[in-house]
């Protein structure tokens, strides 16, 4: 039986990650020729081209795209196995790459990261904040936090907490335009819409007696950051559907009022999402455990 060429798979993964043979070689502390030979060896073994090479550009072929995730997983699991053995006796060291939604990351995650790195001086955290739907494998993240109704996928997802969603407007807006009493009333109002939603201008509700309603709203402002809606929202531009961690303080100050309290948007949760492998370095497990125990943050 011929054993897999694990070194070649790892070097292929490094080229994919760094998008360059030269940069991959630097990251691996080997020569560019060594990386090139390893990738060529893998291509010959698989009988397929993994990259399209030109003098200016390096791109993955269709075969390369299909195999890139496998290569990243092989490399990550090999690193994790070695690090797990070392971590049994050594202090935690190395970098953890974590993703999180932009506003939630700023408000809730960043303070926890500060606490964690103080507890573990040998660990660095690369925090990637984005409200876009990201590919954690492609970005090389160890984990990401997502606020969503998680679809089935090869990724592992663990729900940490429910996220409460409110339909809110300013007292001034409601005094001028009236207070909606049913979701269908929203069609006569100006709304602020979240661009990263699957259907930004279609809002769905569940109400009394297990009723469900989908309403087409008029998007006065559409933006890819919930926090960016707040100035327009508090100044009376329209109505928005936003999570508690964005509007909670403004509601407590009386700057925003909740409406349609008998009609709830679809339930959403805070999920911790990781690649398929259960094998992770101890530093990654330590950060994930730290975040999990503080998920009410």
């Amino acid at each position: 039986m011929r054993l897999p060429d694990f070194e070649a798979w790892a070097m292929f993964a490094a080229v994919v990650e760094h998008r360059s043979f030269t940069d991959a070689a630097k990251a691996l502390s080997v020569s560019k020729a060594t990386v090139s030979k390893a990738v060529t060896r893998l291509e010959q073994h698989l009988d397929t081209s993994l990259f399209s090479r030109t003098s200016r550009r390096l791109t993955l072929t269709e075969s390369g795209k299909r195999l890139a995730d496998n290569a990243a997983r092989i490399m990550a699991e090999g690193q994790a196995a070695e690090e797990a053995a070392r971590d049994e006796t050594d202090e935690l060291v190395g970098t953890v790459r974590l993703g999180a939604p932009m506003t939630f990351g700023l408000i809730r995650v960043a303070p926890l990261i500060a606490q964690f790195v103080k507890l573990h001086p040998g660990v660095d955290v690369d925090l990637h904040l984005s409200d876009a739907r990201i590919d954690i494998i492609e970005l090389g993240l160890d984990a990401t936090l997502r606020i969503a109704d998680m679809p089935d996928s090869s990724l592992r997802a663990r729900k940490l907490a429910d996220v409460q969603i409110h339909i809110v407007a300013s007292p001034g807006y409601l005094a001028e335009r009236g207070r909606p009493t049913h979701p269908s009333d929203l069609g006569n109002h100006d709304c602020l819409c979240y661009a990263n939603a699957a259907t930004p201008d279609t809002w769905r509700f569940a109400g009394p007696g297990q009723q469900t309603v989908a309403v087409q709203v008029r998007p006065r402002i559409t933006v890819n950051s919930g926090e960016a809606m707040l100035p327009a929202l508090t100044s009376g531009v329209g109505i928005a559907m936003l999570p508690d961690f964005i509007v909670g303080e403004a509601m407590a100050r009386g700057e925003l009022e909740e409406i349609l309290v008998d009609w709830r948007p679809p339930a959403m949760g805070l999920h911790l999402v990781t690649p398929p492998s259960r094998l992770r370095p101890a530093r990654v497990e330590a950060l994930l455990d730290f975040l999990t125990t503080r998920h009410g943050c």
Side-chain angles (χ1 to χ4, degrees):
M1 180 181 72
R2 181 175 179 180
L3 292 174
D5 190 341
F6 292 114
E7 180 184 62
W9 278 102
M11 291 190 178
F12 168 49
V15 176
V16 173
E17 178 182 357
H18 295 282
R19 294 176 169 81
S20 162
F21 278 80
T22 301
D23 292 344
K26 289 179 181 177
L28 297 172
S29 300
V30 298
S31 69
K32 179 181 176 182
T34 299
V35 175
S36 181
K37 289 177 181 177
V39 172
T40 299
R41 194 168 68 240
L42 184 60
E43 289 177 321
Q44 291 172 345
H45 176 61
L46 298 173
D47 194 24
T48 187
S49 295
L50 299 172
F51 293 103
S52 296
R53 303 168 177 86
T54 67
S55 58
R56 294 186 177 182
R57 193 175 181 188
L58 181 71
T59 58
L60 283 166
T61 63
E62 288 303 314
S63 294
K65 291 176 183 177
R66 289 195 301 271
L67 294 169
D69 286 354
N70 300 78
R73 193 174 303 120
I74 289 169
M75 186 171 184
E77 292 191 357
Q79 290 175 327
E82 291 184 356
E83 291 173 9
R86 290 198 302 267
D87 291 338
E88 289 179 0
T89 55
D90 296 343
E91 182 181 349
L92 298 180
V93 295
T95 300
V96 181
R97 296 175 176 84
L98 177 72
M102 179 63 72
T103 303
F104 185 81
L106 289 169
I107 296 173
R108 302 292 177 85
V109 179
L112 293 180
I113 296 302
Q115 296 176 29
F116 180 81
V117 296
K118 283 187 175 181
L119 290 173
H120 302 282
V123 178
D124 302 323
V125 177
D126 181 353
L127 182 60
H128 179 97
L129 299 181
S130 174
D131 284 336
R133 187 63 176 269
I134 60 174
D135 186 328
I136 68 173
I137 302 296
E138 181 179 349
L139 291 176
L141 300 180
D142 295 299
T144 190
L145 292 162
R146 283 184 183 165
I147 297 174
D149 179 19
M150 292 299 299
D152 292 334
S153 76
S154 62
L155 301 175
R156 300 175 62 81
R158 181 165 79 246
K159 185 176 179 181
L160 301 184
D162 292 317
V163 176
Q164 190 171 3
I165 307 296
H166 303 283
I167 312 299
V168 293
S170 71
Y173 177 90
L174 297 173
E176 180 182 349
R177 299 289 299 274
R179 182 183 295 269
T181 59
H182 187 275
S184 61
D185 297 337
L186 293 172
N188 300 318
H189 286 267
D190 295 332
C191 293
L192 311 181
C193 297
Y194 181 54
N196 287 326
T199 54
D201 60 350
T202 300
W203 293 3
R204 291 175 171 79
F205 299 85
Q210 297 185 330
Q211 299 177 70
T212 59
V213 176
V215 180
Q216 191 84 19
V217 300
R218 177 178 180 265
R220 188 75 189 279
I221 295 175
T222 302
V223 63
N224 64 354
S225 166
E227 189 176 26
M229 296 183 198
L230 281 176
L233 191 57
T234 56
S235 65
V237 172
I239 296 171
M241 176 189 295
L242 288 169
D244 186 75
F245 63 83
I246 291 180
V247 298
E249 291 186 5
M251 291 171 63
R253 293 192 298 265
E255 296 172 356
L256 296 174
E257 295 183 17
E258 186 170 18
I259 60 175
L260 300 175
V261 294
D262 293 330
W263 293 86
R264 310 307 306 178
M268 297 183 71
L270 172 65
H271 295 84
L272 180 62
V273 182
T274 55
S277 174
R278 294 175 178 269
L279 190 59
R280 289 186 286 269
R283 64 178 182 274
V284 175
E285 288 288 0
L287 178 56
L288 299 189
D289 288 345
F290 185 84
L291 295 174
T292 298
T293 57
R294 293 159 177 80
H295 62 75
C297 55

